[in-house]
Amino acid sequence: MSQDQGRETPADLLSRIDTTQPHSARRYDYLLGGKNNFAADRASAAILEEAIPMMRMGVQENRAFLRRAVDFMAHAGIRQFLDIGTGLPTSPNVHEIAQAVDPTSRVVYVDNDPIVLVHARTLLTSSPEGSTTYLDADFRRPETILQDPHFAETLDLSEPVGLIIVGVLQYFFDEDNPYDLVGGLVSALAEGSHVALTNGTYDFYPQFATFVDDVMKASGLPMRARTEEEFSRFFDGLDLVPPGITVISQWRDENEPKPRPKHSDVGSYGAVAVKTR
Ligand SMILES: C[S@@+](CC[C@H](N)C(=O)[O-])C[C@H]1O[C@@H](n2cnc3c(N)ncnc32)[C@H](O)[C@@H]1O
């Protein structure tokens, strides 16, 4: 279903929101200082912060990477974006970043958490020259995204797209076939399209990998951390743009406040690549 909520009553929508379990969108919102979260999300965040005091910094750096990556893609000429796992609205949202470069930019937002659908109106505040759409759809079923009629109304797949999957891949374990999910979306995109990805990693503190893995499980949202080699496989067949794969806080961070955080305080890889063939 898209942002056209005609087929779902508010009561139906609310009945889909489970406030007893932590959800990644709401916990992330809490860690970014937002208000769209419940006790279960805050309890989950408390478990993380108790064990990993730098957790908030990692979350803020993830959002800063998203901002820089979208700005980079917009300056590279990308005018249409597909943002998978959008999360709750957080200013600046993808369309605000892209439309600051070119107000005609168009964005399709996708998330499967009903709480994001409830707040989707904020994501639909496009400039008059551009447009945005919100799809309540699942990354595990890319065909429902690409075949949604609202998708084709907003994005033209014969032109380059900026595909954004940021802060999401670590929730996808190997049995979800995340490489195939990313590859399937990339194969639908025109040459010149850009792909921005991040994934949590334990590479910067291997001695604490088991501890952090256990904390993630205890928090209710287990994480599939990936090594640099595992993360690089998402970009097979694509050309990484400089500086390639880095810790997210270091990717094109020339204009960020100094000193930059330690890699181990951030703990995620990020990169942007171009589809050239
Ligand atoms: C940590 S938030 C990231 C938000 C945003 N991309 C960012 O980086 O600021 C992860 C988001 O992925 C969404 N998500 C998780 N699994 C998903 C799926 N199977 N399909 C669509 N969205 C999903 C969650 O609902 C959540 O909003």
Side-chain angles (χ1 to χ4, degrees):
M1 198 187 78
S2 74
Q3 83 282 9
D4 173 11
Q5 294 176 29
R7 284 161 286 166
E8 193 169 33
T9 66
D12 288 340
L13 181 55
L14 289 176
S15 73
R16 285 208 281 141
I17 298 174
D18 181 357
T19 59
T20 65
Q21 299 296 322
H23 278 236
S24 62
R26 301 186 318 228
R27 187 178 73 180
Y28 184 74
D29 171 77
Y30 172 72
L31 289 167
L32 281 173
K35 301 219 171 342
N36 299 313
N37 46 74
F38 296 95
D41 310 306
R42 295 189 286 275
S44 172
I47 291 170
L48 293 187
E49 290 201 277
E50 171 83 22
I52 314 166
M54 303 314 288
M55 182 56 66
R56 258 171 217 258
M57 180 181 288
V59 166
Q60 283 161 3
E61 288 296 335
N62 181 75
R63 194 71 197 179
F65 170 87
L66 175 91
R67 173 175 47 75
R68 295 195 301 275
V70 173
D71 184 68
F72 171 82
M73 293 192 277
H75 281 100
I78 299 293
R79 295 292 176 266
Q80 41 177 12
F81 295 84
L82 173 57
D83 182 21
I84 306 282
T86 298
L88 285 154
T90 303
S91 189
N93 294 292
V94 168
H95 69 282
E96 293 163 326
I97 305 163
Q99 291 179 351
V101 177
D102 184 336
T104 67
S105 301
R106 288 159 281 132
V107 180
V108 169
Y109 290 110
V110 177
D111 207 291
N112 72 340
D113 190 330
I115 193 89
V116 182
L117 177 57
V118 169
H119 291 273
R121 197 167 295 136
T122 312
L123 299 168
L124 302 173
T125 56
S126 172
S127 66
E129 302 91 336
S131 64
T132 59
T133 296
Y134 179 81
L135 304 183
D136 178 27
D138 196 322
F139 176 43
R140 290 187 179 86
R141 298 190 56 211
E143 71 286 357
T144 62
I145 298 170
L146 297 170
Q147 291 164 13
D148 190 296
H150 293 281
F151 183 96
E153 284 165 15
T154 310
L155 301 192
D156 173 1
L157 284 178
S158 70
E159 295 290 324
V161 168
L163 173 63
I164 305 158
I165 312 177
V166 169
V168 175
L169 289 172
Q170 59 264 24
Y171 299 115
F172 288 80
F173 283 71
D174 298 357
E175 54 270 31
D176 296 315
N177 299 317
Y179 296 107
D180 291 347
L181 293 176
V182 173
L185 286 174
V186 170
S187 69
L189 305 182
E191 279 182 23
S193 292
H194 284 50
V195 180
L197 307 177
T198 66
N199 202 122
T201 187
Y202 299 146
D203 282 2
F204 305 123
Y205 43 84
Q207 69 278 28
F208 298 122
T210 306
F211 170 74
V212 176
D213 216 48
D214 288 345
V215 171
M216 291 294 176
K217 283 184 196 131
S219 79
L221 291 169
M223 166 161 122
R224 174 59 166 95
R226 291 192 166 86
T227 64
E228 183 172 4
E229 194 277 322
E230 288 175 319
F231 182 57
S232 72
R233 286 178 47 205
F234 285 116
F235 298 98
D236 281 356
L238 302 171
D239 294 344
L240 288 166
V241 302
I245 293 173
T246 65
V247 65
I248 48 174
S249 51
Q250 218 176 41
W251 192 87
R252 292 186 175 256
D253 66 340
E254 299 79 5
N255 298 323
E256 297 288 7
K258 308 291 184 300
R260 305 299 294 138
K262 286 194 292 186
H263 294 190
S264 55
D265 287 346
V266 176
S268 283
Y269 283 122
V272 175
V274 185
K275 180 173 176 177
T276 55
R277 50 193 176 276

